[in-house]
Amino acid sequence: MSIPVIIDIAVQDQTAELRSFLKSSGAEISGENAEAGLLVDLKNIIEASDICWKELNNDEIEMVFNGIISLVLLLPPNEAESVVTLFCEKVGKAPSNDKRINIRLKMLCNLFHGVEAASPLRYVVYLSLVRLAGQADMLHMAPTNLDEIKVWIAKWDISSQKVQTLLRTLHNALVQAKAQDSTKVLIELLGTYTEDNASQAREDAQKCIVTCLADKNMFLMDHLLSLKPVKFLEGESIHDLLTIFVSGRLTQYQQFYKNNTDFVTTFLGLKHEENIQKMRVLTFMQSVENRKEIDFGTIQKEMQIDEDDVEEFIINVLRTKTVSASIDQMQKKVLINWTTHRTFGKQQWQLLRQKLTSWQTNLNGVENSLQSLTTMSQTPPS
């Protein structure tokens, strides 16, 4: 990305121009370049840049910081990290009443895109960019596509701890923005853990479980049980609760809630009525896995709802797209087309294999029939 500069002049003249401009604006900085060279000059200039937010207009602010960025990009990688970190601290930390957040974010974006795509320095800038964007409710100014970010992470070749920090920061920003991708990022975070830092892993695992349980659009959670941080919680109440949502029924949840009311509502902060609604859907999915139809009376009994609420319940289930079915009002039953399996284990793989084998056999039969017809059409009459 091309970064605008103050003027097309020699590096030493650029730093001198920046020093002089900041000093004339009221900053405490020497007008003379440092004898140690560009690295020290940039640190001095960035330290003095606080004056920009107080005394300069928007165009002048952008001119100064774009000039700084153009010089930062000239530094060798081993020297640039400390300067980039300082730049992010000065630009990325804004007071609560700051009215120029959009300019701060723009400057961070300029630096992020100015740095080489494979440079780990992008990690430093990205953290600052996402934090500020999340705090300011301006996350649209930061890249948040998880697939794209995973490609960057692979290029940067950063430690697993830094990856976790990045994903945790992104998740927090997405939560502040009430974005749906927050759950996806949290699950990705859990997948980065090994045996290290078990305490942090447990904390993130608990947060992930609570987030998934509270997510009104998430009904399949069996994949969480295979994640190492979640395994750390085995034997604890939160793991038991997750297991109920993975494979249990409504009555099991009700018993758990009766025994652990404060834990569910106070400690975890979950809403009991929303849990009930989700468990009804999950129980219905499980009830019709191997059925072609189910009558209203059975639904009423298993879901513990009034007779008058059965049709509305089925309509709400269909909206989740976990089940495809039609309602036979005359016979008071539901005809099942297909349902999503809550868990996908060995039995489900075997059923899938049987279906694929059957389809392959049928296709082979069709192919043989077509070949026979083709041969017959090409054979001249005797």
Side-chain angles (χ1 to χ4, degrees):
M1 180 176 178
S2 176
I3 303 297
V5 296
I6 289 182
I7 190 170
D8 187 16
I9 55 178
V11 171
Q12 289 184 336
D13 292 334
Q14 287 186 53
T15 53
E17 288 280 352
L18 283 168
R19 282 177 172 276
S20 177
F21 183 78
L22 290 173
K23 186 174 182 178
S24 66
S25 299
E28 294 184 5
I29 186 174
S30 170
E32 301 295 327
N33 285 337
E35 293 183 3
L38 179 59
L39 179 63
V40 175
D41 276 329
L42 278 172
K43 288 183 177 180
N44 291 161
I45 291 167
I46 295 171
E47 286 287 359
S49 67
D50 287 342
I51 196 68
C52 295
W53 310 106
K54 302 173 184 177
E55 302 295 335
L56 306 185
N57 61 43
N58 292 351
D59 290 339
E60 290 172 329
I61 293 173
E62 290 193 31
M63 177 191 70
V64 170
F65 282 102
N66 281 326
I68 293 172
I69 291 170
S70 68
L71 293 170
V72 169
L73 300 181
L74 297 177
L75 291 171
N78 62 323
E79 293 183 1
E81 183 174 2
S82 60
V83 176
V84 167
T85 301
L86 181 61
F87 182 98
C88 291
E89 288 176 355
K90 291 293 183 180
V91 178
K93 293 182 179 180
S96 58
N97 60 345
D98 196 318
K99 297 181 179 179
R100 289 168 166 171
I101 297 291
N102 60 322
I103 297 179
R104 291 178 181 271
L105 290 170
K106 185 178 179 181
M107 295 303 99
L108 289 170
C109 283
N110 284 353
L111 179 56
F112 178 82
H113 291 292
V115 174
E116 289 293 331
S119 172
L121 290 176
R122 271 195 164 193
Y123 162 79
V124 178
V125 185
Y126 185 75
L127 281 187
S128 185
L129 174 61
V130 171
R131 283 192 185 113
L132 182 59
Q135 292 166 6
D137 195 22
M138 300 178 70
L139 202 57
H140 62 279
M141 292 190 67
T144 58
N145 182 278
L146 183 58
D147 292 332
E148 183 179 28
I149 292 167
K150 287 163 67 175
V151 172
W152 294 340
I153 288 173
K155 289 181 179 179
W156 300 339
D157 192 26
I158 54 180
S159 66
S160 59
Q161 186 173 358
K162 286 186 175 181
V163 173
Q164 290 158 14
T165 299
L166 185 153
L167 292 174
R168 198 177 297 113
T169 301
L170 176 59
H171 169 260
N172 292 337
L174 289 168
V175 169
Q176 288 176 311
K178 297 181 180 179
Q180 292 184 348
D181 287 346
S182 61
T183 305
K184 184 178 177 182
V185 171
L186 198 50
I187 294 172
E188 182 70 26
L189 169 60
L190 295 194
T192 65
Y193 279 102
T194 55
E195 297 293 340
D196 300 329
N197 201 3
S199 60
Q200 183 63 61
R202 290 165 61 89
E203 182 180 329
D204 286 333
Q206 179 168 302
K207 183 188 297 184
C208 182
I209 292 171
V210 172
T211 300
C212 291
L213 296 184
D215 190 332
K216 296 179 181 179
N217 298 311
M218 179 170 283
F219 296 94
L220 303 180
M221 291 170 274
D222 62 324
H223 58 294
L224 297 180
L225 294 175
S226 63
L227 296 173
K228 192 175 291 295
V230 175
K231 288 181 179 292
F232 291 153
L233 300 174
E234 287 181 357
E236 297 185 20
S237 295
I238 191 167
H239 193 278
D240 295 339
L241 180 60
L242 172 62
T243 303
I244 291 173
F245 274 81
V246 168
S247 57
R249 302 181 75 86
L250 176 60
T251 52
Q252 290 174 273
Y253 169 73
Q254 290 172 320
Q255 185 61 50
F256 181 91
Y257 180 75
K258 181 180 179 181
N259 297 334
N260 303 275
T261 302
D262 288 341
F263 174 75
V264 173
T265 58
T266 304
F267 184 74
L268 298 183
L270 293 170
K271 297 179 180 179
H272 176 57
E273 189 55 39
E274 291 182 2
N275 291 346
I276 288 286
Q277 296 301 325
K278 178 178 278 194
M279 281 305 306
R280 283 186 175 133
V281 174
L282 293 170
T283 301
F284 181 81
M285 289 167 58
Q286 189 168 331
S287 296
V288 300
E289 274 188 4
N290 300 308
R291 291 183 180 181
K292 294 297 182 181
E293 61 182 50
I294 183 172
D295 61 79
F296 281 19
T298 302
I299 296 172
Q300 181 185 347
K301 180 180 178 182
E302 293 189 2
M303 308 309 145
Q304 301 179 22
I305 55 179
D306 295 333
E307 182 180 358
D308 293 340
D309 295 331
V310 171
E311 287 193 32
E312 182 181 358
F313 169 73
I314 295 302
I315 291 171
N316 288 333
V317 170
L318 297 180
R319 284 174 178 158
T320 68
K321 298 182 180 180
T322 59
V323 176
S324 173
S326 57
I327 300 174
D328 186 336
Q329 293 176 318
M330 295 295 293
Q331 299 189 53
K332 291 188 177 297
K333 62 183 179 180
V334 178
L335 306 178
I336 309 300
N337 299 321
W338 55 261
T339 182
T340 305
H341 291 276
R342 292 176 63 186
T343 59
F344 206 90
K346 184 177 180 180
Q347 181 181 1
Q348 284 71 40
W349 281 114
Q350 289 173 339
L351 289 173
L352 179 60
R353 181 179 181 181
Q354 290 172 7
K355 288 183 179 180
L356 291 175
T357 301
S358 176
W359 290 346
Q360 185 178 33
T361 301
N362 292 337
L363 287 172
N364 289 338
V366 172
E367 184 180 12
N368 291 335
S369 297
L370 290 173
Q371 288 177 348
S372 297
L373 290 172
T374 302
T375 301
M376 290 174 61
S377 66
Q378 293 175 348
T379 302
S382 56

